[in-house]
Amino acid sequence: MEFNPSFPTTVAVTFLVIAVAFLFYVANRKRAKKGKKREPPQANGAWPIIGHLHLLGGSNPPHKVLGDMADKHGPIFTIKLGIHQALVVSNSEIAKDCFTTNDKVLASRPKAEAVKILTNNYALFGFTPYGDYWRQVRKMVMLEVLSQRRVEMLGGIRVSEVRASIKDLYDAWEEKKESEHSDMVKVEMNHWFGNLMLNIMVRIISGKKLLHNDEERVRFQAVVKKFVHLLGVFVVSDYIPYLKCLDVGGHFNVMKKITRDLDDIFEGWLKEPKTDSESTQQRESSQAFINVLVSTLQSASEEDFPGFDHDTIIKATCQQLLIAGLDTTSVTLTWALSLLLNNPKSLEIVQDEIDEHVGRDRPVEESDIKNLVYLDAVIKETLRLYPPAPLSVPHESMEDCIVGGYNIPKGTRLLVNLSKMQRDPNIWSDPLEFRPERFLTTHKDIDLKGNHFELLPFGSGRRMCPGISFGLLSLGLTLASLIQQFVLQKPSNEPMDISESSGLINSKETPLVVFLSPRLSSNMYRVGS
């Protein structure tokens, strides 16, 4: 055999190539393995089985508890809620990652027994998991119910109800000032805001005008209040499923009854006879949400909305609109007035602005709101400090994803701590102070439409609240009308209590009691009422 001098060299080169390839393979495997293990920090303090639930069940609101955890563990960390893992985000950049890059992956909602019972097996589109049904209902609502055109068409109802409620305040002042021998009378404003928003929402949804202390109104108000409360109730079996058969707390039967009661009310509205009368009330009835939904669904097939019959969809969507527009708006009005009373200079600026752009000879119209820039800043600052849902509505990942550089497994729940995020000192100077001026200067370009991630009271991305235009018009008109027409004072020289309560909605813990008196001529309180 002839000796080939290049043979050893060839073998050596081949071996070297194989060795280098092997080293690259090992290194890549190590990097991949390391990447797979890159998980967000988990908050300490978890107990066996229940995880961190014991930390969230005290008197301190959950968003504050989680905010304190963020101070220790950073702007992104995980907690255990029984068998579930939840990712807590308290940073605007990471929130942007959630609602842009990972928007679709995180677009679903976690399932819960309370929600299942109260929403007719997830028929309410705000709580339903991501999928065809959610897409179809949201599309219908955005096009037929909450479009800009239809929201503007409903302006007459908002204006009418605000003026009627203003007249009720004036009448109460006239009646009480004699018995109380004072020009200022005491009013519980959170109750007034709640009644006003109930009147607006019921009239817009059903075309009905609920009379004061009417039996139907009293029943409906009680059912809705109980429904909203139960949506925020802690149900043990949602986190420890094997306890479901015990119904710890006895909530399930109450939930089923409230669901039936609310269903009966909407069923009654659906079955009310329609006439061809051209009266204002009948025209409003034909434009009511419930009848718009009926008309829209008449041309749709059952396959267009998989899993639910049309009656269920109509009632569930009306229910969704009611709970989305009722407490969220009334609690924001309560916070806004509380903050203004604690900051009388700001209240004076709002009043002067209204006098300048509207005057004292006519009531505020919705068309005036766009000119009231300081009032707009007050509303933004209120929503920054006290977002109605401080932990947003929970999301759930539909597949593995990466958030903030961390690997997040499928099925993880997402809690965006809006309260903590919107008080970030790196973004907001004096973050705990009520300073509407910031939205006229340093933060004047920030809006509430979900594109500025440092301020997301209405959420962002696919699951953003679709009623933002309706909500902002209701807030602006109500607050401007009240401030224009009344002198408003605190009941004492002490600051208004601004403690927050625990619950689904971020309510003020104590009632908002205010002393008020008219500041315009008497004929102004009967305009359009």
Side-chain angles (χ1 to χ4, degrees), residues 433-521:
E433 298 296 319
F434 176 72
R435 286 180 44 202
E437 292 79 9
R438 70 176 88 239
F439 290 104
L440 304 176
T441 54
T442 55
H443 295 78
K444 65 180 179 180
D445 295 325
I446 291 182
D447 61 36
L448 300 167
K449 298 178 181 178
N451 299 314
H452 296 95
F453 296 91
E454 56 268 66
L455 186 65
L456 297 177
F458 294 94
S460 182
R462 284 170 168 79
R463 301 304 291 243
M464 181 178 177
C465 173
I468 178 172
S469 296
F470 180 89
L472 290 176
L473 280 172
S474 300
L475 287 170
L477 178 68
T478 303
L479 203 55
S481 299
L482 183 67
I483 292 171
Q484 180 202 34
Q485 301 208 33
F486 291 96
V487 176
L488 302 156
Q489 292 181 2
K490 295 181 296 182
S492 73
N493 292 328
E494 296 297 316
M496 302 292 295
D497 176 36
I498 52 172
S499 302
E500 301 169 71
S501 66
S502 293
L504 185 68
I505 303 296
N506 190 22
S507 303
K508 186 174 175 293
E509 190 168 37
T510 56
L512 172 57
V513 176
V514 169
F515 279 93
L516 59 77
S517 64
R519 67 184 294 264
L520 306 180
S521 61

XYZ file of all heavy atoms in Angstrom, residues 433-521:
696
model
N -49.041 63.183 44.487
C -49.733 64.469 44.563
C -50.752 64.614 43.437
O -50.538 64.156 42.315
C -48.723 65.616 44.477
C -47.707 65.646 45.609
C -48.359 65.882 46.957
O -49.287 66.730 47.022
O -47.958 65.219 47.933
N -51.865 65.286 43.757
C -52.890 65.598 42.756
C -52.468 66.879 42.035
O -52.548 67.973 42.594
C -54.239 65.783 43.453
C -55.358 66.203 42.525
C -55.896 65.307 41.621
C -55.884 67.494 42.592
C -56.934 65.692 40.770
C -56.927 67.885 41.763
C -57.451 66.985 40.851
N -51.979 66.716 40.807
C -51.471 67.856 40.044
C -51.973 67.771 38.608
O -51.273 67.294 37.708
C -49.946 67.881 40.059
C -49.345 68.328 41.392
C -47.825 68.327 41.343
N -47.349 68.923 40.091
C -46.138 68.695 39.567
N -45.296 67.885 40.176
N -45.769 69.270 38.442
N -53.205 68.251 38.352
C -53.740 68.218 36.981
C -52.871 68.969 35.989
O -52.860 68.637 34.790
C -55.110 68.886 37.130
C -55.458 68.750 38.576
C -54.160 68.812 39.314
N -52.136 69.968 36.459
C -51.305 70.798 35.574
C -50.294 69.973 34.780
O -49.861 70.401 33.700
C -50.575 71.864 36.386
C -51.471 72.936 36.976
C -52.200 72.483 38.238
O -51.879 71.386 38.759
O -53.099 73.219 38.699
N -49.923 68.810 35.285
C -48.930 67.984 34.579
C -49.442 67.608 33.181
O -48.652 67.399 32.264
C -48.559 66.752 35.405
C -49.616 65.711 35.527
C -49.102 64.479 36.300
N -49.270 64.593 37.745
C -48.249 64.527 38.595
N -47.021 64.369 38.146
N -48.465 64.612 39.898
N -50.764 67.500 33.029
C -51.325 67.134 31.731
C -51.498 68.339 30.802
O -51.996 68.196 29.675
C -52.655 66.402 31.919
C -52.480 65.022 32.498
C -52.765 64.774 33.833
C -51.996 63.991 31.717
C -52.582 63.506 34.376
C -51.816 62.716 32.246
C -52.109 62.479 33.580
N -51.090 69.494 31.284
C -51.064 70.688 30.439
C -49.625 71.097 30.122
O -49.396 72.010 29.335
C -51.783 71.852 31.137
C -53.227 71.598 31.572
C -53.777 72.804 32.329
C -54.101 71.275 30.373
N -48.665 70.422 30.757
C -47.256 70.786 30.585
C -46.431 69.556 30.231
O -46.374 69.146 29.075
C -46.721 71.449 31.874
O -46.967 70.574 33.002
C -47.400 72.785 32.130
N -45.818 68.928 31.215
C -44.871 67.835 30.970
C -45.501 66.615 30.312
O -44.833 65.864 29.601
C -44.198 67.403 32.286
O -45.225 67.073 33.240
C -43.338 68.519 32.846
N -46.789 66.379 30.573
C -47.456 65.182 30.036
C -48.669 65.558 29.178
O -49.647 64.811 29.106
C -47.900 64.268 31.187
C -46.758 63.694 31.972
N -46.065 64.424 32.907
C -46.173 62.467 31.953
C -45.114 63.673 33.437
N -45.145 62.490 32.867
N -48.593 66.699 28.509
C -49.748 67.213 27.764
C -50.117 66.345 26.562
O -51.266 66.403 26.090
C -49.496 68.649 27.318
C -48.362 68.812 26.317
C -48.186 70.280 25.941
C -47.043 70.464 24.948
N -46.872 71.890 24.581
N -49.188 65.559 26.056
C -49.467 64.746 24.865
C -50.024 63.367 25.202
O -50.326 62.577 24.301
C -48.200 64.585 24.025
C -47.717 65.915 23.459
O -48.578 66.746 23.120
O -46.486 66.128 23.380
N -50.158 63.060 26.472
C -50.646 61.736 26.879
C -52.173 61.695 26.830
O -52.846 62.580 27.376
C -50.149 61.382 28.297
C -48.639 61.146 28.271
C -50.879 60.161 28.854
C -48.056 60.754 29.603
N -52.717 60.689 26.160
C -54.167 60.494 26.155
C -54.508 59.187 26.867
O -53.643 58.536 27.452
C -54.737 60.537 24.730
C -54.155 59.444 23.830
O -53.909 58.329 24.325
O -53.954 59.702 22.628
N -55.774 58.819 26.809
C -56.242 57.650 27.555
C -56.634 56.499 26.629
O -57.366 55.601 27.041
C -57.450 58.041 28.422
C -57.196 59.143 29.452
C -58.520 59.661 30.020
C -56.324 58.637 30.574
N -56.134 56.517 25.401
C -56.605 55.571 24.387
C -55.790 54.293 24.304
O -55.915 53.533 23.346
C -56.650 56.272 23.026
C -57.621 57.444 23.011
C -57.623 58.157 21.667
C -58.582 59.339 21.681
N -58.564 60.082 20.388
N -54.931 54.055 25.288
C -54.202 52.796 25.331
C -52.895 52.795 24.583
O -52.253 51.743 24.460
N -52.463 53.971 24.082
C -51.209 54.051 23.340
C -50.062 54.597 24.174
O -48.909 54.541 23.751
C -51.397 54.929 22.094
C -52.440 54.373 21.148
O -52.444 53.186 20.855
N -53.352 55.225 20.697
N -50.372 55.153 25.327
C -49.361 55.664 26.246
C -49.388 54.755 27.473
O -50.290 54.845 28.301
C -49.654 57.117 26.618
C -49.573 58.053 25.456
N -50.691 58.423 24.731
C -48.519 58.665 24.858
C -50.326 59.245 23.762
N -49.013 59.406 23.805
N -48.392 53.911 27.576
C -48.457 52.799 28.522
C -48.192 53.220 29.965
O -48.337 52.409 30.871
C -47.516 51.685 28.057
C -47.952 51.107 26.740
C -47.471 51.631 25.547
C -48.885 50.099 26.694
C -47.892 51.125 24.331
C -49.319 49.583 25.488
C -48.824 50.106 24.294
N -47.831 54.472 30.182
C -47.693 54.959 31.544
C -49.040 55.355 32.144
O -49.143 55.609 33.334
C -46.727 56.139 31.600
C -47.091 57.311 30.686
C -46.434 57.226 29.318
O -46.787 56.286 28.574
O -45.595 58.099 29.006
N -50.103 55.358 31.301
C -51.443 55.726 31.766
C -52.466 54.869 31.032
O -52.837 55.167 29.904
C -51.703 57.216 31.518
C -53.010 57.783 32.090
C -53.002 57.743 33.608
C -53.237 59.217 31.610
N -52.933 53.808 31.691
C -53.818 52.834 31.031
C -55.082 52.532 31.843
O -55.409 51.364 32.070
C -53.057 51.522 30.792
C -51.849 51.549 29.867
C -51.201 50.163 29.835
C -52.239 51.985 28.466
N -55.834 53.535 32.286
C -57.020 53.224 33.098
C -58.089 52.436 32.339
O -58.920 51.768 32.959
C -57.533 54.611 33.507
C -57.011 55.537 32.456
C -55.672 54.981 32.084
N -58.076 52.519 31.002
C -59.040 51.768 30.198
C -58.399 50.538 29.545
O -59.015 49.878 28.714
C -59.644 52.663 29.106
C -60.485 53.790 29.647
C -59.934 55.043 29.858
C -61.814 53.588 29.972
C -60.696 56.093 30.362
C -62.587 54.623 30.475
C -62.027 55.883 30.677
N -57.158 50.231 29.946
C -56.464 49.096 29.380
C -55.834 49.431 28.038
O -55.753 50.596 27.636
N -55.401 48.381 27.317
C -54.748 48.557 26.021
C -54.854 47.252 25.247
O -55.158 46.200 25.804
C -53.279 48.948 26.225
O -52.632 49.172 24.990
N -54.598 47.330 23.960
C -54.595 46.125 23.143
C -55.987 45.597 22.833
O -56.990 46.307 22.921
N -56.054 44.322 22.470
C -57.311 43.702 22.047
C -58.407 43.773 23.107
O -59.580 43.909 22.778
C -57.072 42.225 21.688
C -56.398 41.989 20.357
C -55.997 40.517 20.218
N -55.597 40.176 18.874
C -54.404 40.440 18.347
N -53.498 41.068 19.091
N -54.111 40.102 17.112
N -58.030 43.642 24.379
C -59.049 43.579 25.426
C -59.280 44.937 26.087
O -59.853 45.022 27.162
C -58.648 42.551 26.477
C -58.450 41.123 26.002
C -59.638 40.501 25.279
N -60.792 40.233 26.049
C -61.325 39.011 26.276
N -60.740 37.946 25.795
N -62.428 38.866 26.957
N -58.871 46.007 25.445
C -59.098 47.344 25.982
C -60.600 47.611 26.095
O -61.406 47.119 25.299
C -58.455 48.380 25.056
C -58.620 49.811 25.530
S -57.781 50.951 24.404
C -58.240 52.508 25.159
N -60.997 48.404 27.096
C -62.407 48.756 27.286
C -62.933 49.468 26.046
O -62.381 50.496 25.632
C -62.555 49.667 28.505
S -64.219 50.331 28.712
N -64.007 48.958 25.420
C -64.522 49.585 24.198
C -65.371 50.829 24.464
O -65.730 51.546 23.536
C -65.376 48.474 23.577
C -65.840 47.668 24.746
C -64.715 47.715 25.752
N -65.697 51.094 25.736
C -66.593 52.199 26.055
C -65.895 53.473 26.481
O -66.493 54.308 27.161
N -64.642 53.673 26.049
C -63.867 54.818 26.510
C -64.521 56.149 26.134
O -64.607 57.061 26.965
C -62.412 54.745 26.005
C -61.618 55.967 26.461
C -62.336 54.552 24.513
C -60.135 55.877 26.164
N -65.005 56.294 24.906
C -65.619 57.560 24.479
C -66.868 57.852 25.287
O -67.091 58.980 25.746
C -65.960 57.511 22.984
O -64.790 57.390 22.208
N -67.689 56.826 25.474
C -68.915 56.983 26.259
C -68.579 57.379 27.690
O -69.181 58.290 28.261
C -69.698 55.664 26.242
C -70.974 55.721 27.020
C -72.146 56.126 26.413
C -71.014 55.380 28.367
C -73.337 56.191 27.136
C -72.182 55.440 29.093
C -73.348 55.851 28.473
N -67.597 56.707 28.285
C -67.240 56.976 29.675
C -66.703 58.380 29.878
O -67.080 59.068 30.833
N -65.824 58.829 28.971
C -65.232 60.157 29.129
C -66.267 61.259 28.939
O -66.229 62.290 29.639
C -64.083 60.338 28.132
C -62.832 59.498 28.420
C -61.797 59.687 27.322
C -62.238 59.862 29.787
N -67.214 61.079 28.024
C -68.277 62.073 27.858
C -69.149 62.157 29.106
O -69.517 63.246 29.555
C -69.134 61.732 26.636
C -68.564 62.136 25.277
C -69.408 61.558 24.148
C -68.495 63.659 25.155
N -69.473 61.012 29.682
C -70.291 60.982 30.895
C -69.568 61.659 32.056
O -70.168 62.432 32.824
C -70.645 59.544 31.273
O -71.376 58.914 30.237
N -68.269 61.380 32.201
C -67.478 61.993 33.263
C -67.420 63.507 33.096
O -67.667 64.273 34.041
C -66.062 61.426 33.252
C -65.856 59.998 33.758
C -64.442 59.525 33.431
C -66.105 59.921 35.257
N -67.088 63.959 31.887
C -66.921 65.388 31.653
C -68.208 66.168 31.842
O -68.219 67.218 32.506
N -69.308 65.674 31.273
C -70.583 66.379 31.371
C -71.067 66.465 32.812
O -71.497 67.528 33.280
C -71.630 65.671 30.508
C -73.030 66.275 30.565
C -73.044 67.655 29.920
C -74.051 65.358 29.895
N -70.999 65.361 33.536
C -71.499 65.332 34.914
C -70.689 66.251 35.816
O -71.242 67.065 36.570
C -71.463 63.895 35.467
O -72.225 63.036 34.623
C -72.030 63.843 36.874
N -69.380 66.135 35.755
C -68.521 66.930 36.630
C -68.639 68.419 36.301
O -68.752 69.258 37.207
C -67.077 66.452 36.487
C -66.130 66.754 37.650
C -66.660 66.214 38.961
C -64.751 66.169 37.362
N -68.638 68.758 35.021
C -68.752 70.166 34.622
C -70.093 70.756 35.042
O -70.159 71.901 35.532
C -68.569 70.297 33.113
N -71.179 70.004 34.878
C -72.511 70.502 35.242
C -72.616 70.752 36.742
O -73.151 71.773 37.184
C -73.579 69.499 34.800
O -73.549 69.316 33.396
N -72.099 69.829 37.522
C -72.157 69.961 38.980
C -71.346 71.163 39.456
O -71.814 71.964 40.284
C -71.629 68.681 39.621
C -71.667 68.604 41.147
C -73.104 68.558 41.646
C -70.886 67.390 41.642
N -70.138 71.310 38.915
C -69.254 72.397 39.351
C -69.779 73.746 38.874
O -69.656 74.763 39.565
C -67.822 72.146 38.838
C -67.229 70.923 39.562
C -66.933 73.362 39.044
C -65.915 70.443 38.991
N -70.388 73.766 37.692
C -70.954 75.020 37.197
C -72.108 75.503 38.069
O -72.234 76.704 38.355
C -71.470 74.842 35.762
C -72.083 76.131 35.181
C -73.039 75.879 34.025
O -73.740 74.865 34.002
N -73.073 76.801 33.071
N -72.924 74.591 38.541
C -74.202 74.994 39.123
C -74.242 75.037 40.639
O -75.207 75.536 41.222
C -75.310 74.061 38.599
C -75.406 74.107 37.072
C -76.784 73.790 36.549
O -77.780 74.100 37.186
N -76.847 73.179 35.376
N -73.185 74.533 41.309
C -73.233 74.514 42.775
C -71.930 74.994 43.402
O -70.844 74.762 42.866
C -73.550 73.110 43.289
C -74.950 72.660 42.987
C -75.221 71.885 41.878
C -76.004 73.037 43.813
C -76.504 71.481 41.588
C -77.308 72.645 43.533
C -77.556 71.868 42.415
N -72.071 75.636 44.523
C -70.943 75.874 45.424
C -70.766 74.593 46.228
O -71.732 74.076 46.806
C -71.218 77.070 46.362
C -70.079 77.229 47.361
C -71.437 78.331 45.561
N -69.557 74.078 46.268
C -69.289 72.786 46.910
C -68.244 72.957 47.997
O -67.192 73.550 47.775
C -68.783 71.784 45.868
C -69.731 71.533 44.680
C -68.975 71.036 43.469
C -70.823 70.547 45.074
N -68.548 72.426 49.172
C -67.622 72.566 50.300
C -67.510 71.262 51.072
O -68.463 70.466 51.125
C -68.099 73.667 51.260
C -68.034 75.068 50.692
C -68.489 76.117 51.689
O -68.821 75.794 52.832
N -68.519 77.377 51.264
N -66.351 71.085 51.695
C -66.153 69.945 52.595
C -66.984 70.154 53.857
O -67.276 71.289 54.248
C -64.678 69.810 52.982
C -63.743 69.487 51.848
C -62.312 69.349 52.343
C -61.786 70.670 52.916
N -60.384 70.560 53.365
N -67.356 69.065 54.541
C -68.134 69.200 55.782
C -67.330 69.742 56.958
O -67.889 70.130 57.970
C -68.626 67.778 56.054
C -67.697 66.887 55.310
C -67.222 67.657 54.125
N -65.990 69.758 56.851
C -65.149 70.290 57.926
C -63.850 70.809 57.324
O -63.627 70.714 56.111
C -64.839 69.202 58.956
O -63.908 68.269 58.448
N -63.005 71.346 58.163
C -61.713 71.842 57.692
C -60.698 70.723 57.474
O -59.611 70.956 56.939
C -61.141 72.861 58.687
C -61.958 74.146 58.710
O -62.520 74.547 57.685
N -62.049 74.778 59.866
N -61.037 69.527 57.914
C -60.153 68.380 57.739
C -60.183 67.913 56.278
O -61.207 68.038 55.602
C -60.583 67.222 58.645
C -60.479 67.521 60.128
C -59.044 67.776 60.542
O -58.148 67.015 60.101
O -58.820 68.744 61.289
N -59.069 67.369 55.771
C -59.072 66.842 54.393
C -60.082 65.706 54.243
O -60.355 64.966 55.196
C -57.633 66.312 54.209
C -56.816 67.019 55.243
C -57.741 67.245 56.406
N -60.633 65.578 53.047
C -61.542 64.475 52.759
C -60.777 63.161 52.883
O -59.623 63.053 52.459
C -62.096 64.582 51.333
C -62.842 65.857 51.030
S -64.388 66.013 51.925
C -65.340 64.681 51.240
N -61.422 62.154 53.471
C -60.803 60.831 53.576
C -60.698 60.226 52.178
O -61.687 60.177 51.438
C -61.658 59.940 54.480
C -61.129 58.521 54.552
O -59.895 58.356 54.525
O -61.942 57.582 54.603
N -59.500 59.790 51.802
C -59.314 59.189 50.472
C -58.820 57.744 50.598
O -58.048 57.255 49.774
C -58.362 60.030 49.596
C -57.050 60.329 50.324
C -59.033 61.316 49.148
C -56.013 60.994 49.429
N -59.298 57.059 51.620
C -58.959 55.634 51.782
C -59.666 54.816 50.709
O -60.823 55.081 50.354
C -59.395 55.139 53.167
O -58.775 55.893 54.181
N -58.960 53.800 50.213
C -59.510 52.928 49.175
C -60.050 51.645 49.788
O -59.486 51.123 50.743
C -58.424 52.592 48.156
C -57.815 53.799 47.480
C -56.574 53.455 46.685
O -56.709 52.809 45.626
O -55.465 53.820 47.122
N -61.130 51.142 49.220
C -61.708 49.886 49.704
C -61.193 48.730 48.864
O -60.671 48.917 47.770
C -63.235 49.940 49.627
O -63.651 50.016 48.276
N -61.335 47.516 49.395
C -60.987 46.315 48.636
C -62.188 45.900 47.799
O -63.329 46.053 48.212
C -60.593 45.182 49.584
O -59.396 45.485 50.262
N -61.935 45.367 46.635
C -63.012 44.904 45.775
C -62.625 44.978 44.314
O -61.544 45.452 43.960
N -63.532 44.528 43.460
C -63.281 44.533 42.028
C -63.096 45.953 41.510
O -62.246 46.229 40.670
C -64.450 43.854 41.293
C -64.319 43.650 39.794
C -63.242 42.631 39.486
C -65.649 43.228 39.188
N -63.906 46.882 42.040
C -63.847 48.293 41.665
C -63.204 49.075 42.805
O -63.499 48.836 43.981
C -65.252 48.845 41.370
C -65.930 48.027 40.269
C -65.176 50.314 40.970
C -65.251 48.087 38.927
N -62.366 50.026 42.454
C -61.609 50.790 43.449
C -62.462 51.925 44.018
O -62.313 53.093 43.654
C -60.344 51.359 42.791
C -59.394 51.963 43.800
O -59.439 51.631 44.975
N -58.540 52.862 43.340
N -63.342 51.584 44.942
C -64.252 52.563 45.519
C -63.607 53.306 46.685
O -62.683 52.804 47.328
C -65.526 51.868 46.022
O -66.161 51.163 44.989
N -64.127 54.491 46.947
C -63.736 55.229 48.143
C -64.348 54.516 49.344
O -65.529 54.137 49.325
C -64.243 56.667 48.039
C -63.803 57.604 49.146
C -64.263 59.037 48.816
C -63.934 59.989 49.963
N -64.710 59.722 51.182
N -63.550 54.319 50.388
C -64.007 53.492 51.507
C -65.136 54.152 52.292
O -66.040 53.477 52.777
C -62.838 53.180 52.443
C -63.176 52.139 53.495
C -61.957 51.633 54.224
O -61.034 52.426 54.483
O -61.919 50.435 54.528
N -65.099 55.467 52.434
C -66.125 56.174 53.200
C -66.995 57.002 52.259
O -66.543 57.406 51.182
C -65.481 57.101 54.249
O -64.581 57.994 53.584
C -64.708 56.289 55.279
N -68.246 57.279 52.648
C -69.126 58.086 51.788
C -68.563 59.487 51.556
O -67.855 60.038 52.398
C -70.430 58.151 52.594
C -70.378 56.989 53.536
C -68.933 56.801 53.867
N -68.879 60.039 50.404
C -68.459 61.406 50.077
C -69.589 62.357 50.455
O -70.556 62.535 49.707
C -68.132 61.523 48.586
C -67.855 62.930 48.056
C -66.715 63.591 48.812
C -67.575 62.909 46.559
N -69.472 62.950 51.623
C -70.483 63.896 52.115
C -70.015 65.311 51.805
O -68.884 65.695 52.120
C -70.707 63.718 53.626
C -71.693 64.764 54.141
C -71.210 62.311 53.918
N -70.890 66.089 51.173
C -70.546 67.439 50.716
C -71.649 68.408 51.128
O -72.828 68.053 51.159
C -70.390 67.441 49.174
C -70.308 68.855 48.626
C -69.164 66.651 48.769
N -71.259 69.646 51.444
C -72.223 70.731 51.630
C -72.278 71.524 50.335
O -71.233 71.849 49.751
C -71.809 71.634 52.791
C -72.175 71.079 54.130
C -71.276 70.306 54.849
C -73.444 71.301 54.666
C -71.629 69.779 56.079
C -73.796 70.782 55.887
C -72.888 70.017 56.608
N -73.493 71.818 49.887
C -73.621 72.546 48.627
C -74.769 73.545 48.662
O -75.679 73.450 49.490
C -73.790 71.579 47.453
C -74.968 70.598 47.425
C -76.278 71.261 47.039
C -74.677 69.460 46.469
N -74.684 74.514 47.738
C -75.766 75.483 47.525
C -75.691 75.943 46.080
O -74.620 75.882 45.450
C -75.628 76.670 48.470
O -74.445 77.388 48.207
N -76.803 76.404 45.499
C -76.798 76.851 44.097
C -75.915 78.087 43.923
O -75.810 78.919 44.822
C -78.259 77.195 43.825
C -79.036 76.534 44.926
C -78.135 76.481 46.102
N -75.291 78.203 42.751
C -74.494 79.393 42.451
C -75.022 80.143 41.226
O -74.440 81.149 40.802
C -73.013 79.035 42.263
C -72.679 78.200 41.072
C -71.201 77.805 41.021
N -70.292 78.917 40.820
C -69.799 79.287 39.628
N -70.182 78.643 38.528
N -68.948 80.287 39.548
N -76.127 79.641 40.625
C -76.736 80.301 39.465
C -78.160 80.728 39.798
O -78.699 80.386 40.852
C -76.730 79.350 38.261
C -75.382 78.734 37.860
C -75.564 77.824 36.655
C -74.343 79.805 37.572
N -78.790 81.457 38.891
C -80.177 81.885 39.105
C -81.111 80.685 39.097
O -80.823 79.670 38.458
C -80.596 82.883 38.022
O -80.519 82.278 36.747
